[in-house]
Structures are given as structure tokens and as C-alpha cells.
Amino acid sequence: MDRLVKPDVKEVEMNFKSGQKCSAVFRLTNLMHTMTVAVSLTTTNPSVFSFPQPFSILPPLSSATYTLLSQPSDHPPLRSPHDVITVRSAMLPTGKAHMEDFRRLFSVPGRHVFRDATIPVSFVGPQVVEFLISHNAKVPDVNSSLHKAISGCSESQLAELMNLAVRSENADLVSAMVDSGADVKHRDSDGRSLLASALDSGNFDIFKILIASGCEIDNSIDRVLHEAAAKNRVDLIEILCKSRSRIDVNSVDSINRTAIHVAAARGHVEALKFLLSIGANADLADDRGWTPLHYSSSAGHRDAVETLLEHCNAKYAVDGEGKTAFSLAAENGHAELLPLLRLNDALHRASRLDDVGGVKSCLAEGAAVDGRDQNGWTPLHRAAFKGSVECARVLLGHGAPVDAVDDAGYTPLHCAVEAGHAAVAMLLIAHGARAKAKSLTGMVPLSSDRLKNHPALVARSICREKVRP
């Protein structure tokens, strides 16, 4: 036998409380059947730890309880390696001893001194965990200390500390908390999930840990998509939508805004495109009647406006005050958006109605002279088909492409001849329009002489197919 006594614990845990003296108890048992044993207790850090009775006597096969005390401290006195209690023992044939006897007995090793026992000391409890999370970079061997400290926390305390760990932006701490049994499905006092807290830090690894551990989204409470869209974090949006959380891409906040509203308002094109690609509705309106296009137009986010125009059907939707996206862009001085939102349409309309003043006004405000409608027609196509000579002249003067080809292969000259407008046709040719067309079936080459002498005949023979108005 190499030991005389046996401790009842492998580790002594002290529940730390800031500013208070802490204590922990353990028992030692004399393993000898007939011999009394003397015991000496010391620690590796006597400035922090102490024993009310550092020396004691254990009769044969008896046990005794010992109390370890620590001095008051504002934060847990953690060290690496951990502090330990050293238990020294010696047989005491007389069965009794005075203080000087103990000191003499344990001052030097002798043949009656058996192998020492060592007991590690750990600080546990919520204040230790909180300290480790807040000062993790300054604490050696933080994960080992954390695992031990968590053992002194209740379920409710651990849930609150989990929130703190998520906000710490330290994925290792979060993983350690999960491994130690922290509930990832815990919600704060507002009902928000841990994923909502994780968005504040935006740590991708923490997101993955929480989702892999079963953290779920409540679409009626959590606004994780909205917050991810506000940060333009496509990576977080993607992992959320691919998780088992059954997230609703069109879920709304308290004023009925979706995540796509938020991305549009901030001009976050990457988030906008991804949300649209997974089914976000570009035409939904919030409480004041604003669609995502209203938000991006009001803020002057051109790229976002262009992206939304490719997906929305409510280009001219009006809000609660009767304003369109065009109106908001104009009010806020975003003239560069007006051609995209309405001026091009207005230019086409003025060209069709032979409204020379309207054409000039639209061009002066920035309408695109080569802007196309859904059929590929430019304003010059419109003017040529309607025989609007002056409108065509103004458009050509502003650089309208004379040989622009629409979706069916028609140039403005084709439109003028088809409609029998010789004056417009001659104007186009004078500006360089090619009189020999060959892109449409049934067309014959156009010549200046034929246009002068037989415009109506040419109009009938050039194309048998009816041109759209």
C-alpha cells in the first residue's frame, strides 16, 4: 500500500462569487485498519487558498471533512496549470500529536511518509463562465476552464450565458458551450433565437454551429433575414435558407417589410439578387404602400433599381400617398433614375403622339434617345411609324441610332415605308439609313428613286407582314 488516505473527490470545485470568500468541502478517509494517520494539507497558491485546520488526525478507517477557503476577489483567480491541494500523510503510532509534532513530522520526508495525494481545484459557476467569455483572450487554457466552470451553472443560467457567448464572436467558446449542454433553442426575453443574436456579430462559424446544433427560426418573431439583408451578408442568408429552419423568404417585420425591402433600401444588390433568386416577391408593399422599388428609387440606388425592374411587375405601383417610384426619385433629386423608371416611356409616348415639345422635354430631362420598349422599338421607330417628321428630326439630332433593329428585324426606315410615310423615310435616308434591308422575309431592296416616285407602292411591297403599332 503506497497511500494512507483516500480523498472522496477527484477535483474540488469552488462556486465563485465576486467579492466574497468562497469555500468548498471534501472528505479524506484513513485506509489503515489499525493505525492512526496524521494529515497535512497545503495548496500551490497559499496567497489565495487556506485551510482552517491544515493538520489533522484520522483514526483507523475513519473519515473527516475538510474545508478549503479562498480569499475574496473581484474575478476568479484562474491559473494554468490549475491550483492543486497536496495531501501528505504519515502514520502516527502514538495516536496523538501537537502542532509542533505535526510541523516536525511533515518538515522532512521520512520512512513513515507515504505517497502524497493531489486534488485539483477549479472555480465554477455563472460568474466564472461570464468572466471566461468576456476575457477569453487573456485566460490561459480557456476551454478547459470553461468546461469545468459550466458544471456549476443551472440550466437557466447556462441559457443566458449562451447568449453572451454567441455575442462574443468566439466560435470555440460557443462550441464549448454547446458541448457542455447549453440549450441552443433558448430564446431571450423578447422571444428571439440565438441566431438573431449571432447576427449582431455576423460570425459565420457561429451561425454554422448553431444551425448544426438544432437552433431554429420563428418567422413570426425572428428577423434574421432582414438583419442579414441589412448587412448584405449573402453567405448568412444562404446558410439560413439551406438549413432545416424552414425560413420564409417573404416573412415581414412589424411594418410589413420583407428582407428584400431592406436590401433595396440600402442598395445591397448582392443580397437583393440572391433573395430574388430564391423566391422573394419584388412586388409586395409594406404598411405605407412602398414596394422594394419605392425604397431603392427614393434612396437613389441605381443598380438596385435596375435589378428590381427585371423582376417586378408593379413598376408604376402607387403608395399610400399616390406616389410611384418615379415620383420618389424625382422628389429626391435622383435624375439619373428617371429614364429607367418613366422618362423612356414618356419619350416613346411623345414620339408616338407627334408631341415635339414632349420629345424635347424628355430628352432635356435625361431620357435615353435609344431606349427600347418591350418589343425592341426605339422612339425613332415610333416616330417613323406614325409619320412624325419633326419628332424624328429632333430624335436624330440627339443621336438616335438611325438603323436600330427591333426584335423582329425592323429598322425605323422599314416602319416609315410600311406605314407609307415617305417624308420620314426620306429624312431617315438623308441621315444615313440603309435603303437596302434584308433582315425580314419578303423584303426587297429599297432605293431612293423608288421611295421618291412610288412611296405607297414600296410600302405595300416591302413587307407583307403586319407591323405592330
Side-chain angles (χ1 to χ4, degrees), residues 25-349:
V25 298
F26 60 96
R27 293 180 65 82
L28 294 177
T29 299
N30 182 354
L31 299 176
M32 303 298 291
H33 290 262
T34 59
M35 185 67 68
T36 299
V37 172
V39 174
S40 167
L41 300 174
T42 59
T43 69
T44 52
N45 193 359
S47 64
V48 173
F49 301 103
S50 62
F51 287 98
Q53 295 179 313
F55 302 109
S56 62
I57 296 174
L58 286 177
L61 297 179
S62 67
S63 298
T65 299
Y66 298 86
T67 300
L68 176 66
L69 301 176
S70 71
Q71 296 300 312
S73 175
D74 293 333
H75 56 78
L78 303 174
R79 297 204 308 178
S80 181
H82 295 291
D83 290 311
V84 297
I85 300 168
T86 299
V87 181
R88 302 180 68 193
S89 57
M91 288 187 292
L92 192 64
T94 63
K96 58 183 179 179
H98 298 289
M99 188 61 67
E100 285 301 318
D101 298 326
F102 284 119
R103 290 194 180 98
R104 185 172 58 255
L105 187 61
F106 292 108
S107 61
V108 292
R111 56 186 178 81
H112 56 281
V113 178
F114 285 71
R115 186 158 66 92
D116 300 337
T118 55
I119 311 172
V121 180
S122 297
F123 286 96
V124 301
Q127 291 188 21
V128 181
V129 176
E130 183 176 353
F131 175 82
L132 290 169
I133 292 173
S134 303
H135 300 80
N136 63 83
K138 301 177 182 178
V139 178
D141 196 18
V142 62
N143 284 350
S144 173
S145 297
L146 183 65
H147 279 293
K148 297 181 187 302
I150 285 173
S151 65
C153 300
S154 67
E155 186 175 328
S156 60
Q157 289 171 336
L158 199 55
E160 292 299 325
L161 291 165
M162 185 64 178
N163 235 323
L164 183 62
V166 168
R167 294 180 182 276
S168 74
E169 303 185 33
N170 188 317
D172 291 337
L173 284 178
V174 173
S175 181
M177 294 287 286
V178 172
D179 292 343
S180 299
D183 183 11
V184 298
K185 296 182 179 180
H186 171 74
R187 293 182 173 274
D188 63 19
S189 57
D190 295 323
R192 300 197 322 156
S193 72
L194 288 171
L195 283 173
S197 297
L199 261 168
D200 293 337
S201 66
N203 187 298
F204 184 73
D205 290 333
I206 290 178
F207 248 71
K208 289 197 299 184
I209 291 170
L210 293 176
I211 289 175
S213 302
C215 188
E216 296 181 350
I217 299 296
D218 184 340
N219 288 304
S220 65
I221 300 174
D222 293 311
R223 297 289 171 258
V224 288
L225 266 190
H226 293 71
E227 294 174 33
K231 296 175 180 289
N232 203 26
R233 290 296 300 271
V234 176
D235 55 341
L236 301 185
I237 296 173
E238 185 172 11
I239 193 174
L240 282 169
C241 294
K242 287 183 177 180
S243 72
R244 56 182 178 223
S245 300
R246 294 186 228 174
I247 196 162
D248 179 7
V249 71
N250 290 310
S251 61
V252 297
D253 61 14
S254 59
I255 58 172
N256 278 322
R257 293 183 310 171
T258 63
I260 198 174
H261 282 93
V262 176
R266 288 164 174 76
H268 293 329
V269 177
E270 294 83 0
L272 199 57
K273 288 181 177 179
F274 186 81
L275 288 166
L276 289 166
S277 73
I278 59 174
N281 190 337
D283 293 317
L284 293 179
D286 65 8
D287 281 356
R288 57 176 171 172
W290 278 31
T291 65
L293 187 60
H294 281 89
Y295 278 96
S296 56
S297 300
S298 177
H301 299 307
R302 181 184 179 90
D303 290 343
V305 168
E306 290 179 338
T307 299
L308 287 167
L309 286 174
E310 295 175 4
H311 295 84
C312 69
N313 297 312
K315 179 179 179 181
Y316 299 113
V318 295
D319 64 10
E321 297 179 358
K323 295 179 180 179
T324 62
F326 174 90
S327 302
L328 293 173
E331 284 181 7
N332 293 321
H334 305 305
E336 72 280 3
L337 298 182
L338 303 185
L340 291 172
L341 296 169
R342 185 172 173 184
L343 271 181
N344 289 349
D345 294 344
L347 180 57
H348 276 261
R349 184 173 182 275

Side-chain angles (χ1 to χ4, degrees), residues 303-467:
D303 290 343
V305 168
E306 290 179 338
T307 299
L308 287 167
L309 286 174
E310 295 175 4
H311 295 84
C312 69
N313 297 312
K315 179 179 179 181
Y316 299 113
V318 295
D319 64 10
E321 297 179 358
K323 295 179 180 179
T324 62
F326 174 90
S327 302
L328 293 173
E331 284 181 7
N332 293 321
H334 305 305
E336 72 280 3
L337 298 182
L338 303 185
L340 291 172
L341 296 169
R342 185 172 173 184
L343 271 181
N344 289 349
D345 294 344
L347 180 57
H348 276 261
R349 184 173 182 275
S351 300
R352 178 169 59 83
L353 297 177
D354 196 18
D355 180 2
V356 178
V359 169
K360 291 180 178 179
S361 176
C362 288
L363 290 172
E365 292 183 37
V369 73
D370 58 350
R372 296 176 180 271
D373 67 7
Q374 69 273 19
N375 298 310
W377 275 28
T378 65
L380 191 57
H381 281 88
R382 292 281 182 190
F385 188 74
K386 289 298 183 179
S388 306
V389 178
E390 288 306 312
C391 286
R393 196 184 310 279
V394 172
L395 291 167
L396 289 166
H398 281 76
V402 71
D403 283 323
V405 178
D406 72 1
D407 294 348
Y410 280 83
T411 66
L413 182 56
H414 288 125
C415 295
V417 173
E418 168 68 14
H421 300 306
V424 176
M426 295 306 297
L427 174 66
L428 294 171
I429 290 175
H431 280 76
R434 290 178 296 171
K436 292 186 177 181
K438 55 184 179 181
S439 58
L440 287 182
T441 302
M443 286 189 173
V444 298
L446 303 178
S447 69
S448 179
D449 290 340
R450 293 181 69 188
L451 284 169
K452 288 179 181 177
N453 299 326
H454 304 288
L457 175 62
V458 174
R460 287 194 300 272
S461 64
I462 189 171
C463 185
R464 306 267 196 263
E465 188 178 340
K466 185 177 180 181
V467 180

